[in-house]
Each structure stands twice: as structure tokens, then as C-alpha cells.
Amino acid sequence: MRVAELSPAWYFFAMKVVVTAGPTREFIDPVRFLSNRSTGKMGYAVAAAFSARGHEVVLISGPVALEPPATVRTVSVVSAADMLEVTLAEFGSCDGLVMAAAVADWAPRNTAERKIKKGDKTFVLELKATRDILHEISAVRTRQVLAGFAAETGDPIAEARRKLSDKGLDVIFANDVSGSDAGFEADTNRIVCITANGDEVAWPLMPKAEAGLKVAETVERIHESRKG
Ligand code: CTP
């Protein structure tokens, strides 16, 4: 680890942080896929924030229309299975993982090699659940800080608390994605930060760049507290 200098008054140990961002695509055939509304803005803001604060960042990104920050190493992936494989490979050597990606929960059971023709008026698509990346990472984690996001349209706090516990996280950032000023596609976000020690803080509506900095500071604090 190298020592980074933020200000003359504050020295800290730089981390290697893995950040996932964007949606995944689950192909039905060569021209069609299942995906979601994620644009990657929140995850890219988190990656940029860690980098600006002196950390080494690996950004694992699903297909998005954003330019990755020049200072981070970006690995492009397409499907949930690809994202799982790359995240597992990068995880062992990192100090923290922030899963901001909107990973598809289902994928077609089979992907047709050739374009499926219109044919009949109805078409039944069989889906299988994808593997949960955070859940699998949680089983192999040692010292790393684990952070997730919860995209909710119902009761964000209750659902986020369930995910925090089920996925063995240190912190979860809950956002209600049903409005237009927060969550998917927006440039702003309204997050409730819930930590495993029970703290729950509602951050006001703010630009995603600013929310990214608060996410990075939160992960830094948890990492620092482990060393004490
Ligand atoms: N996540 C993951 N692997 C998946 C699905 C989600 O690691 N296959 C991560 C997301 O990146 C996020 C957290 O789990 O950090 C919560 O994701 P979310 O979509 O809110 O919840 P789900 O676990 O998919 O649960 P549900 O569909 O019940 O809301």
C-alpha cells in the first residue's frame, strides 16, 4: 500500500477499490437482450470519487454511453456471468468492493445462436436466475469492505436492510428509483446510507458526483475503523 496525501493535515493509506457500474445484458438471440434502465452514472461517479481521493480503482462496467475516468482501469463486461467472473478475479487483491451495477436478476435459459423468427403470435421465454455477485463474494471475503446499492420502488429502508444482512454487507446505499430526480438516468440521487452497525443516515438530494464522494468517504471510514 502507498501513503497518499489528501491535505497536509490528513494522511491515509490508499486502498485498491473495485467498483461495478451500469446494467448487464442477457442475450435472447444475437440481436435481442434483457437489460434495465441503469446508465452507469452513479457507479462512474463513485469510481471517479475514489480515484480523486488517491485510491487505485478498477471499474467493472456493463454497456453504458459514458467515458470512464482516465485515471481508473476499466474492464468492460456484458452479462451478469461476465461481471461475476471479472469481479471475483479482481476481488482477492482489493480492499473494498462497491457494487453499483444493476445486475440482471434473470437471463434466458438458452441463447439462440440465430435470430429467432417472429413465427407464432405468442412466444414463451424461459428464464433462469443469475448468480448473485455480492452473495458469492461475501462467502470468500476476508478483510475487504463490502458495499452495495439497493434500487427500490417500494419500502427502500426495509428492503435495503434485508439486503444488507442477506448479502453480508458493511454498508448499503438505498435509493428510491421511482421518482425522476433520483435513481436510474437522473444526474442527482437521494440516498439513505445504512451501515451494518445499525446507523442510518438520509442524505439530501445531491448531484451524483457529490453522492459518489460521500460513498467513497463512507467506505474509507469503515476501512480505517478496521485497522484501529
Ligand atoms: N447484485 C449482485 N448480483 C446480482 C444482483 C444484484 O451483486 N445478481 C447487487 C447489486 O449490484 C446491488 C445489490 O446487489 O449492489 C442489490 O441489488 P438490487 O437489484 O437492489 O437487489 P436484488 O439483490 O436484485 O434483489 P431484488 O430483486 O429482490 O430487489
Side-chain angles (χ1 to χ4, degrees):
M1 278 195 292
R2 74 197 158 86
V3 179
E5 184 183 339
L6 265 191
S7 73
W10 185 30
Y11 292 87
F12 74 107
F13 284 102
M15 296 184 276
K16 174 184 169 186
V17 187
V18 176
V19 179
T20 67
T24 64
R25 290 181 179 175
E26 313 304 324
F27 276 83
I28 297 167
D29 68 13
V31 299
R32 305 179 178 97
F33 55 80
L34 299 175
S35 193
N36 58 63
R37 289 173 52 209
S38 171
T39 58
K41 286 178 189 170
M42 192 63 242
Y44 275 52
V46 170
F50 274 112
S51 181
R53 295 175 66 79
H55 303 290
E56 178 189 346
V57 181
V58 181
L59 173 62
I60 303 172
S61 177
V64 297
L66 300 174
E67 200 58 49
T71 50
V72 313
R73 175 159 68 86
T74 305
V75 184
S76 297
V77 297
V78 176
S79 66
D82 297 341
M83 188 171 276
L84 172 66
E85 187 185 324
V86 176
T87 307
L88 276 172
E90 295 289 345
F91 184 71
S93 60
C94 83
D95 303 294
L97 167 67
V98 180
M99 283 289 305
V103 187
D105 288 324
W106 299 283
R109 181 172 290 283
N110 298 302
T111 301
E113 277 179 24
R114 302 178 67 166
K115 184 185 170 196
I116 299 169
K117 292 294 172 182
K118 264 203 298 281
D120 295 337
K121 289 262 181 282
T122 59
F123 171 58
V124 177
L125 181 63
E126 199 180 349
L127 304 178
K128 63 174 193 302
T130 57
R131 288 160 66 185
D132 193 290
I133 300 174
L134 273 175
H135 200 260
E136 298 208 11
I137 288 280
S138 190
V140 296
R141 67 101 71 97
T142 51
R143 64 204 154 79
Q144 297 93 341
V145 179
L146 275 193
F149 272 76
E152 305 299 342
T153 56
D155 179 349
I157 309 295
E159 276 300 288
R161 283 194 175 283
R162 178 179 64 79
K163 291 173 190 177
L164 178 80
S165 149
D166 286 356
K167 297 179 193 242
L169 308 181
D170 296 296
V171 58
I172 194 156
F173 304 102
N175 50 180
D176 188 337
V177 295
S178 51
S180 59
D181 60 356
F184 294 134
E185 293 155 0
D187 289 321
T188 48
N189 211 355
R190 192 183 288 104
I191 287 172
V192 181
C193 171
I194 307 169
T195 48
N197 66 9
D199 289 351
E200 180 184 310
V201 183
W203 298 343
L205 185 72
M206 62 181 74
K208 282 185 173 170
E210 210 174 301
L213 282 168
K214 288 181 77 70
V215 166
E217 284 167 7
T218 305
V219 171
E220 272 171 13
R221 261 200 307 276
I222 296 170
H223 181 247
E224 289 296 306
S225 71
R226 295 255 161 91
K227 295 196 308 215

